[in-house]
Each structure stands twice: as structure tokens, then as C-alpha cells.
Amino acid sequence: MATPQSETHHARIMDDILRRIVDGTWKPGHQLPKEVELAETYGVSRMTMNKVLTQLAQDGYVTRRKRIGTVVAEPRAQSAVLAINNIRDEVETLGRVYRWHLLSNEQRPRNAQDQRLLGLEGDEGARDALFLQGLHMSNDEPFCLEHRVINLAVAHDAREVDFRKEVPGHWLLQTMPWTNARHQLRAINISGRDATLLRLPSGAACLEILRKTQIESNWVTYARLLYPGEAHQLIAEFEGHPGS
Amino acid sequence: MATPQSETHHARIMDDILRRIVDGTWKPGHQLPKEVELAETYGVSRMTMNKVLTQLAQDGYVTRRKRIGTVVAEPRAQSAVLAINNIRDEVETLGRVYRWHLLSNEQRPRNAQDQRLLGLEGDEGARDALFLQGLHMSNDEPFCLEHRVINLAVAHDAREVDFRKEVPGHWLLQTMPWTNARHQLRAINISGRDATLLRLPSGAACLEILRKTQIESNWVTYARLLYPGEAHQLIAEFEGHPGS
DNA sequence: CAGTGGTCTAGACCACAGC
DNA sequence: CTGTGGTCTAGACCACTGT
């Protein structure tokens, strides 16, 4: 009697409850029957029912409180999962040839420009930091301009890497997996050296992404990615989902 | 013996395994001991161990395959959760006064411009659709220009709503909770009527968000949100996380 | 076909939060 | 105090997949 149907009990019950929530039969604030009752209704053990309800709570569809019971959650603040693709993949998915072109590579203390461009906080990059600048090319056309600082105190091996051949973002992801990142997005009018490098007229709209990457409580790297706006229409695509 | 410590077995074991993955003791590809062995090691039942491993798999840290066992996952394609705030909250968080200003409200078939601006697909908006245009104001300054089309076949009640008073996005979220959305982001140079309405010079960089909202397989609404880029520096902020 | 995870159960005790 | 969810167990059978 473990798996009587091809579909698991989990899935069957999950779908049933989710349907009622999504189609409005159970509106936000609606109180669900208690765990034991639901278990009886669906003819499963309390443990199985608990697994379903716990999952629903994790997915943000219901909130559960002792003594109170399980109620349909208020609709979440709208959120979305943004897939930030590897730039190489992004280019190659478009059927183009990817190439990385390192522009500069310096081990030095930060300066005022770094701090402004990359939004460095505190004494981050004050010492033992590697400053890189490079272009991601698509069919030998500029696709994305990257400024980056790497914390050598955390990513020790970065000293010995030849970033003319290794793409910094890719190398870091390989070397230091399981990092966390904070991102900021905005649209800016490009100008000066950035415009020249991206071969864009001064004033062209670009999407700027600032990314701060951490592992545990140590900062690993800051990156500033500049994408031409109009040229590459679809910059990011993501789907709504309930909070995890 | 249910909860011997103040911390649950789940949490304790979860933390222990996660630590080894994050600090690199167990690198991507590393094979974990099998479920039964881990259960013995930690002195818990197999069910409890399974709950932990299942959670780790859901969080994307490990992959589990029958016969193969549990291995540390390859680092995820970088993804992030973007919180798309209610525009009113966004403005009021900045300590400013929010106001909604409806510019136009028409029940009519779509035209070529709608289709282009909002990226309508198929015959969406071909009939029974409500077309809105309005400005979100912050201290009586334009903050975001919104174009929207609502599917009256799904959101019937929208006919009777006075969208001079109700903000469409807010009303829809209240009325039709548990929708899904697909988003597209890009930077554009603003011009023409859009520039005039946002009181920006032609050519200013703006962040354009196209949002398609669905419930089940029915489209509910398309929205195009245009934010001045330079003026409102921080448009979006989100944190990295493993895939759910 | 054998080893691994996937699922399920019946019963139990605990912890929290209203009453 | 009592009712609710939170957690846990020992044992069981099933399903997938590499050999």
C-alpha cells in the first residue's frame, strides 16, 4: 500500500489543495481543516499529510501556526527568479562565437573610481585585491563590458591564474562554488571610455548590473556588467514563483 | 527522545552537511554516504535522514539518483530572487508621497502599438480587453509610466472598477492572487510621448519591465513599466540562492 | 537482479500558544 | 490546561537503474 497509484499520494494531495487555492475556492485567510482531519479525508497517515502541508508552507501558499492551524497565505509580495546565465552560454545560445578579451589586470589597492563603479563598502579592496577589466565578445562585437575586483585574501589562487585565457566569472564559479550574491540593476546612459569600448554612441542606454558575491560572511568579488540595452533586446527573463 | 536538544535533528544535521559543502570539504561531485549509513552516523532514523537529504536536494545542493546515491551538485547556474515590490510601497519606502494618475482607460480591441509595446502574443487582447495607461507619482514627480492590458474574460470585475482610484496592479493582485508572471528587462533610450510624460529629455536611459501575468494557462494582464534609470538609482535588488 | 533512494504507516512525545 | 502543529521512529514495500 506504499504507492497504490502511479502518482504518489504527495503529488495527488498537493495538486488537489493547490488547485483550490489557485482557483479561488480557498481564498487567502481561509482556514484549512486540521492535519489529522485532512489525513483522514485523503486516507493517508498524518506523516504524509504533514509532508504535504509542510511543503505548501515552504512554498508560501499557506502559513501554519500551532494552536491556530493552517490558513491560506496572503498573496506574496510579487517576486521572481532571475536566471543569470553564464555570459558565454548567453552568447552561444544566440548561435554566436564567444570570446573573452582581457583589457587590464592589476594587483593594487583600490582607488576612488573602483569604489564608485563597483560600490565597494568599508575597506573592501583596500589591499590584496585584483582588479580586472575585460570585454565579452559575441562574433567579435562587444557584448558585455566587465569590471571586477577579486578578494585575494579569499580567492588565493587567483594570483596564479592567467585571466587572458580564463574568464574571471567562470573561474570563480568553478573555484568557489556555493557563494551568495547581491545584485543591483539599473539603466544608465553610457559615455566616455565605456562607450568607446562597447563601440556605442555616447548616451546609449545600457543595463548595468552590480553584483557582490560572498561566501559565508567574506566578500569574494564585485562585478560590474554593462550590457548594451537596445542592441540585445532580451537581457533577462524570469518567472514568478512563490517565496521559498 | 523526539527533540533531545533545543535544536532539531533536522537543523543540526542539515547545518553539518551544508557546512562541508559550502566550505569545500565536500566538493561538487563528491559522493555522500548512503542514506542508511548517514542515519546511523548521526544516530537518527532513516526517515529523518531522508527528510534532510530531500531538503538538500530541493535546495539544489545535492542531486540524488536511485542506484547512484547522493552527490554534491555542480554549482547552480547563477540565479537570484528578485523582489518586485508594489510600486506604492517602493515610493513610500523612500519617504515620499505616492499618487496614481490614470491617463487613459479604454475597452477596445488591441492595435499594432499595443502589440508592439506589450509584446502581446497570438490573439491576446484581440477582444474583451481593457487598455490602461497611467503614471505612478512620487511627490508629484513621475516615478513610473505604466501601460497595461487586462483580459476581461478572466478578470470580469475589472469592467466595474474605477481605475482612477484603484491602482490596476494592486487591484489585480488583490482580486486574482496566486498568479504567475514572466518578466523581461531591458534598458532603452526613451523618446516621444513617453519622454514627455516622464518629464525626461529624449534619449534618457530607462529601465523597461515587461510583465505577463497568467493564472493557470490563461493570461490575465500584460504590463509595461518604464522607470527613469539615472533618476532612481536602485531599481531592483535581489539575493542569490540555490534553485528551488 | 541487486542496491539505492522514494514513499508510506501507526504510534508517540514534545513545544507552543490561546483559553 | 488543551489543542494544534513539529518532530521522530522502526519497519515496510515499491520503483528505478546500472551491471
mmCIF file of all heavy atoms in Angstrom, chain B residues 63-70, chain C residues 3-7, chain D residues 14-18:
data_model
loop_
_atom_site.group_PDB
_atom_site.id
_atom_site.type_symbol
_atom_site.label_atom_id
_atom_site.label_comp_id
_atom_site.label_asym_id
_atom_site.label_seq_id
_atom_site.Cartn_x
_atom_site.Cartn_y
_atom_site.Cartn_z
ATOM 1 N N THR B 63 22.364 16.204 -5.679
ATOM 2 C CA THR B 63 21.440 15.502 -6.565
ATOM 3 C C THR B 63 21.378 14.055 -6.103
ATOM 4 O O THR B 63 22.390 13.474 -5.712
ATOM 5 C CB THR B 63 21.908 15.542 -8.030
ATOM 6 O OG1 THR B 63 23.300 15.247 -8.077
ATOM 7 C CG2 THR B 63 21.677 16.908 -8.637
ATOM 8 N N ARG B 64 20.198 13.486 -6.169
ATOM 9 C CA ARG B 64 20.015 12.126 -5.692
ATOM 10 C C ARG B 64 19.470 11.283 -6.825
ATOM 11 O O ARG B 64 18.522 11.671 -7.503
ATOM 12 C CB ARG B 64 19.028 12.089 -4.515
ATOM 13 C CG ARG B 64 19.270 13.168 -3.469
ATOM 14 C CD ARG B 64 18.452 12.890 -2.226
ATOM 15 N NE ARG B 64 19.016 11.784 -1.489
ATOM 16 C CZ ARG B 64 18.354 11.050 -0.594
ATOM 17 N NH1 ARG B 64 17.097 11.295 -0.360
ATOM 18 N NH2 ARG B 64 18.949 10.074 0.040
ATOM 19 N N ARG B 65 20.095 10.147 -7.044
ATOM 20 C CA ARG B 65 19.582 9.244 -8.070
ATOM 21 C C ARG B 65 19.620 7.828 -7.536
ATOM 22 O O ARG B 65 20.588 7.418 -6.895
ATOM 23 C CB ARG B 65 20.396 9.366 -9.346
ATOM 24 C CG ARG B 65 20.047 10.629 -10.129
ATOM 25 C CD ARG B 65 21.045 10.884 -11.246
ATOM 26 N NE ARG B 65 21.138 9.767 -12.186
ATOM 27 C CZ ARG B 65 22.153 9.612 -13.038
ATOM 28 N NH1 ARG B 65 23.147 10.481 -13.019
ATOM 29 N NH2 ARG B 65 22.177 8.599 -13.856
ATOM 30 N N LYS B 66 18.550 7.143 -7.818
ATOM 31 C CA LYS B 66 18.489 5.760 -7.361
ATOM 32 C C LYS B 66 19.670 4.999 -7.940
ATOM 33 O O LYS B 66 20.096 5.249 -9.052
ATOM 34 C CB LYS B 66 17.171 5.134 -7.831
ATOM 35 C CG LYS B 66 15.975 5.755 -7.154
ATOM 36 C CD LYS B 66 14.674 5.292 -7.767
ATOM 37 C CE LYS B 66 13.525 6.092 -7.177
ATOM 38 N NZ LYS B 66 12.219 5.688 -7.692
ATOM 39 N N ARG B 67 20.113 4.086 -7.160
ATOM 40 C CA ARG B 67 21.233 3.210 -7.546
ATOM 41 C C ARG B 67 22.586 3.946 -7.509
ATOM 42 O O ARG B 67 23.613 3.320 -7.275
ATOM 43 C CB ARG B 67 20.978 2.628 -8.956
ATOM 44 C CG ARG B 67 22.099 1.755 -9.478
ATOM 45 C CD ARG B 67 22.026 0.382 -8.848
ATOM 46 N NE ARG B 67 23.188 -0.420 -9.198
ATOM 47 C CZ ARG B 67 23.376 -1.683 -8.855
ATOM 48 N NH1 ARG B 67 22.441 -2.305 -8.167
ATOM 49 N NH2 ARG B 67 24.451 -2.320 -9.166
ATOM 50 N N ILE B 68 22.560 5.262 -7.774
ATOM 51 C CA ILE B 68 23.793 6.039 -7.820
ATOM 52 C C ILE B 68 24.138 6.597 -6.446
ATOM 53 O O ILE B 68 25.287 6.593 -6.027
ATOM 54 C CB ILE B 68 23.652 7.223 -8.806
ATOM 55 C CG1 ILE B 68 23.464 6.686 -10.215
ATOM 56 C CG2 ILE B 68 24.862 8.131 -8.750
ATOM 57 C CD1 ILE B 68 24.604 5.847 -10.702
ATOM 58 N N GLY B 69 23.122 7.069 -5.768
ATOM 59 C CA GLY B 69 23.359 7.665 -4.467
ATOM 60 C C GLY B 69 23.249 9.177 -4.504
ATOM 61 O O GLY B 69 22.693 9.756 -5.443
ATOM 62 N N THR B 70 23.776 9.798 -3.467
ATOM 63 C CA THR B 70 23.662 11.244 -3.306
ATOM 64 C C THR B 70 25.014 11.884 -3.540
ATOM 65 O O THR B 70 26.001 11.501 -2.920
ATOM 66 C CB THR B 70 23.184 11.577 -1.882
ATOM 67 O OG1 THR B 70 21.976 10.860 -1.617
ATOM 68 C CG2 THR B 70 22.937 13.060 -1.726
ATOM 69 P P DG C 3 23.304 -6.080 -3.254
ATOM 70 O OP1 DG C 3 24.651 -6.629 -3.022
ATOM 71 O OP2 DG C 3 22.163 -6.512 -2.412
ATOM 72 O "O5'" DG C 3 23.406 -4.500 -3.228
ATOM 73 C "C5'" DG C 3 24.158 -3.854 -4.271
ATOM 74 C "C4'" DG C 3 23.622 -2.459 -4.453
ATOM 75 O "O4'" DG C 3 22.378 -2.494 -5.172
ATOM 76 C "C3'" DG C 3 23.323 -1.735 -3.134
ATOM 77 O "O3'" DG C 3 23.704 -0.387 -3.283
ATOM 78 C "C2'" DG C 3 21.810 -1.860 -3.003
ATOM 79 C "C1'" DG C 3 21.400 -1.754 -4.464
ATOM 80 N N9 DG C 3 20.092 -2.318 -4.786
ATOM 81 C C8 DG C 3 19.546 -3.482 -4.308
ATOM 82 N N7 DG C 3 18.363 -3.735 -4.801
ATOM 83 C C5 DG C 3 18.119 -2.680 -5.661
ATOM 84 C C6 DG C 3 16.996 -2.402 -6.476
ATOM 85 O O6 DG C 3 15.970 -3.060 -6.616
ATOM 86 N N1 DG C 3 17.158 -1.212 -7.189
ATOM 87 C C2 DG C 3 18.259 -0.399 -7.119
ATOM 88 N N2 DG C 3 18.241 0.695 -7.869
ATOM 89 N N3 DG C 3 19.323 -0.647 -6.360
ATOM 90 C C4 DG C 3 19.174 -1.793 -5.662
ATOM 91 P P DT C 4 24.153 0.465 -2.016
ATOM 92 O OP1 DT C 4 25.546 0.856 -2.222
ATOM 93 O OP2 DT C 4 23.713 -0.289 -0.800
ATOM 94 O "O5'" DT C 4 23.229 1.754 -2.116
ATOM 95 C "C5'" DT C 4 23.347 2.637 -3.230
ATOM 96 C "C4'" DT C 4 22.000 3.201 -3.562
ATOM 97 O "O4'" DT C 4 21.099 2.116 -3.866
ATOM 98 C "C3'" DT C 4 21.296 3.908 -2.416
ATOM 99 O "O3'" DT C 4 21.668 5.275 -2.386
ATOM 100 C "C2'" DT C 4 19.815 3.754 -2.771
ATOM 101 C "C1'" DT C 4 19.805 2.674 -3.848
ATOM 102 N N1 DT C 4 18.830 1.592 -3.563
ATOM 103 C C2 DT C 4 17.671 1.596 -4.274
ATOM 104 O O2 DT C 4 17.401 2.436 -5.103
ATOM 105 N N3 DT C 4 16.807 0.572 -3.971
ATOM 106 C C4 DT C 4 17.006 -0.442 -3.046
ATOM 107 O O4 DT C 4 16.158 -1.313 -2.861
ATOM 108 C C5 DT C 4 18.254 -0.381 -2.328
ATOM 109 C C7 DT C 4 18.569 -1.415 -1.289
ATOM 110 C C6 DT C 4 19.089 0.618 -2.618
ATOM 111 P P DG C 5 21.126 6.167 -1.189
ATOM 112 O OP1 DG C 5 22.016 7.306 -1.019
ATOM 113 O OP2 DG C 5 20.824 5.272 -0.053
ATOM 114 O "O5'" DG C 5 19.742 6.676 -1.780
ATOM 115 C "C5'" DG C 5 19.744 7.509 -2.915
ATOM 116 C "C4'" DG C 5 18.369 7.511 -3.559
ATOM 117 O "O4'" DG C 5 17.812 6.186 -3.521
ATOM 118 C "C3'" DG C 5 17.342 8.402 -2.857
ATOM 119 O "O3'" DG C 5 16.562 9.022 -3.871
ATOM 120 C "C2'" DG C 5 16.551 7.418 -2.026
ATOM 121 C "C1'" DG C 5 16.518 6.211 -2.974
ATOM 122 N N9 DG C 5 16.279 4.932 -2.314
ATOM 123 C C8 DG C 5 17.081 4.320 -1.380
ATOM 124 N N7 DG C 5 16.606 3.172 -0.983
ATOM 125 C C5 DG C 5 15.419 3.023 -1.694
ATOM 126 C C6 DG C 5 14.470 1.963 -1.679
ATOM 127 O O6 DG C 5 14.492 0.928 -1.016
ATOM 128 N N1 DG C 5 13.417 2.215 -2.550
ATOM 129 C C2 DG C 5 13.297 3.337 -3.335
ATOM 130 N N2 DG C 5 12.203 3.415 -4.100
ATOM 131 N N3 DG C 5 14.176 4.316 -3.363
ATOM 132 C C4 DG C 5 15.209 4.097 -2.519
ATOM 133 P P DG C 6 15.242 9.837 -3.503
ATOM 134 O OP1 DG C 6 15.003 10.839 -4.574
ATOM 135 O OP2 DG C 6 15.379 10.263 -2.090
ATOM 136 O "O5'" DG C 6 14.095 8.742 -3.595
ATOM 137 C "C5'" DG C 6 13.438 8.503 -4.842
ATOM 138 C "C4'" DG C 6 11.967 8.222 -4.588
ATOM 139 O "O4'" DG C 6 11.841 6.951 -3.933
ATOM 140 C "C3'" DG C 6 11.309 9.253 -3.666
ATOM 141 O "O3'" DG C 6 10.024 9.586 -4.182
ATOM 142 C "C2'" DG C 6 11.244 8.540 -2.332
ATOM 143 C "C1'" DG C 6 11.090 7.084 -2.749
ATOM 144 N N9 DG C 6 11.628 6.136 -1.784
ATOM 145 C C8 DG C 6 12.818 6.250 -1.102
ATOM 146 N N7 DG C 6 13.046 5.241 -0.297
ATOM 147 C C5 DG C 6 11.940 4.421 -0.443
ATOM 148 C C6 DG C 6 11.634 3.194 0.181
ATOM 149 O O6 DG C 6 12.293 2.565 1.011
ATOM 150 N N1 DG C 6 10.410 2.691 -0.250
ATOM 151 C C2 DG C 6 9.595 3.300 -1.173
ATOM 152 N N2 DG C 6 8.454 2.675 -1.460
ATOM 153 N N3 DG C 6 9.881 4.452 -1.754
ATOM 154 C C4 DG C 6 11.063 4.955 -1.347
ATOM 155 P P DT C 7 9.099 10.545 -3.368
ATOM 156 O OP1 DT C 7 8.193 11.137 -4.371
ATOM 157 O OP2 DT C 7 9.866 11.383 -2.418
ATOM 158 O "O5'" DT C 7 8.241 9.515 -2.521
ATOM 159 C "C5'" DT C 7 7.489 8.525 -3.206
ATOM 160 C "C4'" DT C 7 6.843 7.619 -2.205
ATOM 161 O "O4'" DT C 7 7.850 6.953 -1.428
ATOM 162 C "C3'" DT C 7 5.945 8.333 -1.189
ATOM 163 O "O3'" DT C 7 4.610 7.992 -1.511
ATOM 164 C "C2'" DT C 7 6.382 7.782 0.170
ATOM 165 C "C1'" DT C 7 7.268 6.602 -0.206
ATOM 166 N N1 DT C 7 8.383 6.282 0.719
ATOM 167 C C2 DT C 7 8.344 5.109 1.409
ATOM 168 O O2 DT C 7 7.427 4.310 1.323
ATOM 169 N N3 DT C 7 9.423 4.883 2.239
ATOM 170 C C4 DT C 7 10.516 5.709 2.410
ATOM 171 O O4 DT C 7 11.425 5.400 3.178
ATOM 172 C C5 DT C 7 10.495 6.924 1.655
ATOM 173 C C7 DT C 7 11.644 7.896 1.772
ATOM 174 C C6 DT C 7 9.441 7.156 0.848
ATOM 175 P P DC D 14 5.301 -4.322 -2.666
ATOM 176 O OP1 DC D 14 3.970 -4.693 -3.153
ATOM 177 O OP2 DC D 14 6.442 -5.257 -2.730
ATOM 178 O "O5'" DC D 14 5.734 -2.978 -3.412
ATOM 179 C "C5'" DC D 14 5.080 -1.765 -3.077
ATOM 180 C "C4'" DC D 14 5.715 -0.624 -3.841
ATOM 181 O "O4'" DC D 14 6.928 -0.206 -3.178
ATOM 182 C "C3'" DC D 14 6.095 -0.966 -5.286
ATOM 183 O "O3'" DC D 14 5.682 0.099 -6.106
ATOM 184 C "C2'" DC D 14 7.605 -1.115 -5.225
ATOM 185 C "C1'" DC D 14 7.969 -0.126 -4.124
ATOM 186 N N1 DC D 14 9.222 -0.423 -3.390
ATOM 187 C C2 DC D 14 10.240 0.520 -3.368
ATOM 188 O O2 DC D 14 10.100 1.575 -3.988
ATOM 189 N N3 DC D 14 11.370 0.253 -2.679
ATOM 190 C C4 DC D 14 11.497 -0.905 -2.023
ATOM 191 N N4 DC D 14 12.620 -1.125 -1.337
ATOM 192 C C5 DC D 14 10.458 -1.886 -2.025
ATOM 193 C C6 DC D 14 9.345 -1.618 -2.718
ATOM 194 P P DA D 15 5.800 -0.019 -7.654
ATOM 195 O OP1 DA D 15 4.668 0.751 -8.201
ATOM 196 O OP2 DA D 15 6.042 -1.424 -8.032
ATOM 197 O "O5'" DA D 15 7.128 0.815 -7.935
ATOM 198 C "C5'" DA D 15 7.159 2.207 -7.594
ATOM 199 C "C4'" DA D 15 8.407 2.832 -8.183
ATOM 200 O "O4'" DA D 15 9.559 2.409 -7.416
ATOM 201 C "C3'" DA D 15 8.711 2.429 -9.626
ATOM 202 O "O3'" DA D 15 9.363 3.527 -10.215
ATOM 203 C "C2'" DA D 15 9.643 1.246 -9.451
ATOM 204 C "C1'" DA D 15 10.464 1.732 -8.264
ATOM 205 N N9 DA D 15 11.075 0.706 -7.438
ATOM 206 C C8 DA D 15 10.587 -0.533 -7.127
ATOM 207 N N7 DA D 15 11.361 -1.236 -6.325
ATOM 208 C C5 DA D 15 12.435 -0.387 -6.090
ATOM 209 C C6 DA D 15 13.603 -0.525 -5.331
ATOM 210 N N6 DA D 15 13.884 -1.611 -4.625
ATOM 211 N N1 DA D 15 14.469 0.511 -5.316
ATOM 212 C C2 DA D 15 14.171 1.614 -6.024
ATOM 213 N N3 DA D 15 13.104 1.858 -6.777
ATOM 214 C C4 DA D 15 12.271 0.811 -6.761
ATOM 215 P P DC D 16 9.328 3.718 -11.763
ATOM 216 O OP1 DC D 16 8.485 4.908 -11.938
ATOM 217 O OP2 DC D 16 9.016 2.442 -12.446
ATOM 218 O "O5'" DC D 16 10.819 4.128 -12.134
ATOM 219 C "C5'" DC D 16 11.460 5.144 -11.352
ATOM 220 C "C4'" DC D 16 12.903 4.780 -11.138
ATOM 221 O "O4'" DC D 16 13.000 3.569 -10.377
ATOM 222 C "C3'" DC D 16 13.684 4.532 -12.435
ATOM 223 O "O3'" DC D 16 14.668 5.521 -12.508
ATOM 224 C "C2'" DC D 16 14.253 3.116 -12.264
ATOM 225 C "C1'" DC D 16 14.200 2.932 -10.755
ATOM 226 N N1 DC D 16 14.123 1.537 -10.234
ATOM 227 C C2 DC D 16 15.201 1.018 -9.484
ATOM 228 O O2 DC D 16 16.204 1.735 -9.322
ATOM 229 N N3 DC D 16 15.114 -0.237 -8.987
ATOM 230 C C4 DC D 16 14.026 -0.964 -9.191
ATOM 231 N N4 DC D 16 13.986 -2.190 -8.656
ATOM 232 C C5 DC D 16 12.909 -0.464 -9.935
ATOM 233 C C6 DC D 16 13.002 0.782 -10.441
ATOM 234 P P DT D 17 15.408 5.849 -13.861
ATOM 235 O OP1 DT D 17 15.726 7.283 -13.843
ATOM 236 O OP2 DT D 17 14.608 5.240 -14.954
ATOM 237 O "O5'" DT D 17 16.758 5.012 -13.733
ATOM 238 C "C5'" DT D 17 17.614 5.234 -12.607
ATOM 239 C "C4'" DT D 17 18.719 4.194 -12.610
ATOM 240 O "O4'" DT D 17 18.250 2.954 -12.043
ATOM 241 C "C3'" DT D 17 19.258 3.851 -14.004
ATOM 242 O "O3'" DT D 17 20.657 3.697 -13.873
ATOM 243 C "C2'" DT D 17 18.619 2.506 -14.290
ATOM 244 C "C1'" DT D 17 18.659 1.912 -12.893
ATOM 245 N N1 DT D 17 17.745 0.760 -12.655
ATOM 246 C C2 DT D 17 18.109 -0.175 -11.713
ATOM 247 O O2 DT D 17 19.137 -0.109 -11.082
ATOM 248 N N3 DT D 17 17.201 -1.199 -11.550
ATOM 249 C C4 DT D 17 16.001 -1.371 -12.213
ATOM 250 O O4 DT D 17 15.282 -2.324 -11.970
ATOM 251 C C5 DT D 17 15.688 -0.353 -13.186
ATOM 252 C C7 DT D 17 14.413 -0.450 -13.977
ATOM 253 C C6 DT D 17 16.554 0.647 -13.364
ATOM 254 P P DG D 18 21.621 4.419 -14.901
ATOM 255 O OP1 DG D 18 21.738 5.796 -14.424
ATOM 256 O OP2 DG D 18 21.187 4.102 -16.279
ATOM 257 O "O5'" DG D 18 23.004 3.667 -14.648
ATOM 258 C "C5'" DG D 18 23.576 3.708 -13.341
ATOM 259 C "C4'" DG D 18 24.167 2.357 -13.005
ATOM 260 O "O4'" DG D 18 23.106 1.381 -12.848
ATOM 261 C "C3'" DG D 18 25.115 1.782 -14.057
ATOM 262 O "O3'" DG D 18 26.251 1.270 -13.377
ATOM 263 C "C2'" DG D 18 24.296 0.685 -14.739
ATOM 264 C "C1'" DG D 18 23.385 0.224 -13.608
ATOM 265 N N9 DG D 18 22.084 -0.309 -14.014
ATOM 266 C C8 DG D 18 21.212 0.250 -14.919
ATOM 267 N N7 DG D 18 20.107 -0.448 -15.057
ATOM 268 C C5 DG D 18 20.260 -1.520 -14.181
ATOM 269 C C6 DG D 18 19.391 -2.597 -13.896
ATOM 270 O O6 DG D 18 18.283 -2.831 -14.364
ATOM 271 N N1 DG D 18 19.941 -3.456 -12.941
ATOM 272 C C2 DG D 18 21.170 -3.293 -12.346
ATOM 273 N N2 DG D 18 21.514 -4.220 -11.459
ATOM 274 N N3 DG D 18 21.987 -2.286 -12.604
ATOM 275 C C4 DG D 18 21.473 -1.440 -13.529
#
